[in-house]
Amino acid sequence: EGTGMKQNLEVPRHERAAERLAALEARVRQDQEYLCRPAANWVLPHGEAVVDVVIIGGGMVGQLAWFALNNAGIRNLRILDRAPAGLEGPWLTYARMETLRSPKQLTGPAYGYAALTCRAWYTAVYGEAAWEALDKIPRTTWMDYLRWYRKVLDVPVENAVEVKRILPEGDYLQLELTGAGAREKSLLARKVVMATGRDGTGHPNIPAFMEGLPRSHWAHSSDDIDFARLKDRRVVVIGAGASAVENAAEAAEHGASEVRLLVRRKVMPTINKMMGIGSFGFTAGFADLPDEWRWRFMQYSFATQTPAPRGSTQRVSRHDNAYFHFGHGIRSVRHCGSAPEGELIIETTQGARLATDFLILGTGFTTDPLARSELGGYADKIELWRDRYQPPPGEENADLANFPYLNPDFSFREREPGTAPWLGKIYCFNYGASASLGKVSGDIPGISEGAAWLTRSIAATLYAEDVAAHFQGMVDYAKPELLGDEWTDTPLEAPLQETGDD
């Protein structure tokens, strides 16, 4: 892995790609027809102005959520994304790895359809031999696949629409909308699914030592960084995770004079502990475990840290002017000179001091529902793990404590019962669900299982809310299957009378 990676990044299309792709798309439609999907709409209307489910986020997870709900006969759906069409999710914005970490054979958002897998699409476009030669799926190729996925399933993502706030409105939720693509300023929904990705219940993690520093001299790894501007400049990257390593590689490849990674840990994380226990049993069983076991799994994963991919790390090490410095946390950062000129002076916890022209924070994201503007005014009413569980000594983790403590159906819980009952109408189908329900709402391996789980939960709730009307529908149903001409009523002759003789 890593050697020869470049050769997989640009694969010529197979000469019969258009023909093969058309055949694959016909197969998808046939599979849908044979499986009687999507099911007919069964959800009772609540008025023309009320949407049954609004999905916030039109990336991989949001599109899958729409497909699963639509398949189940929940047809009154809206799916909104603030990005322009084709730029949903991180793949062409702040994701900077060359290839995905996940093994290429994982089925991801295929939802049980072989024809919807990345492998089916890739072999149609590039041929079977190209798939066999492929090591990992290139990041941009994955986005091409997701664009095709949206097209073949006709997922009606409404782009350039941002949800500013979600507010209770009687029995419903009101979404305040903005953006060039918004058709209205607000809409009403019975349920809202937050398919908002890695920072879906939080925000980029900006350490306190960055306070007051000029923005011309630093960026978070999720920012839109102009790497060309870093040519011939000194760059420091904080962190050793995937995003830190990938941003360091980008800076080196764009001609930075030097790139230094400052890593608080004394040694590089090398083992992806979660990968070692991945199974259907873990996916299905995690949510039903006692709190202490769920916490223990997640806390151990956080403590050991998922390492950066091998190929991404080698991508940095190919450059003689790129350096890894372990055991150096950050004590302070100050700016010298006049912005936008000058430099940053960094002092580490080991007493080292170094100057740099630009600093990139590979510090990840925090999970903090209180920071979400969509939930402004009542986010503090959401129950968090810190409200529910006190870990034993040695297992404390402040970041994990901020994860929402969700209901088994992905919906938020009230911290104090009765204070915000509408929270149960909002579904956290993003990274924030992992502490409560496992890795089923963001990562490629388990997202189809998560989408099926979410769909059954929402369907059950929608049905229960209108159960009286559904029962009345059964009472009122009057379409006969028998018309009366299928039989003849024949009188039965009187039976013989017994005489009592033997």
Side-chain angles (χ1 to χ4, degrees), residues 28-38:
V28 172
R29 292 189 291 270
Q30 184 183 69
D31 287 348
Q32 285 279 87
E33 180 183 353
Y34 283 10
L35 292 170
C36 301
R37 295 177 179 174

Side-chain angles (χ1 to χ4, degrees), residues 40-55 66 69-70 72-79 171-173 175 187-193 424-427 457-459 461-463 465-466 470:
N41 179 50
W42 53 268
V43 184
L44 300 180
H46 279 225
E48 292 185 5
V50 180
V51 182
D52 289 327
V53 183
V54 172
I55 301 166
W66 180 91
L69 290 163
N70 186 66
I74 303 172
R75 310 295 292 279
N76 182 15
L77 302 169
R78 298 273 295 272
I79 176 170
D171 293 333
Y172 308 117
L173 296 168
L175 283 70
L187 59 84
L188 291 177
R190 295 177 66 182
K191 312 291 177 188
V192 170
V193 175
K425 303 176 187 292
I426 304 175
Y427 295 78
S457 299
I458 291 178
T461 303
L462 290 173
Y463 194 89
E465 288 175 355
D466 291 332
H470 285 295

Side-chain angles (χ1 to χ4, degrees), residues 250-288:
E250 285 283 328
E253 290 167 359
H254 280 80
S257 61
E258 68 174 30
V259 178
R260 299 183 183 275
L261 287 102
L262 297 183
V263 185
R264 180 176 54 191
R265 293 171 180 266
K266 294 182 179 180
V267 295
M268 187 75 157
T270 59
I271 300 172
N272 186 346
K273 293 290 187 175
M274 279 294 188
M275 184 173 288
I277 61 168
S279 68
F280 183 78
F282 181 78
T283 299
F286 181 85
D288 292 330

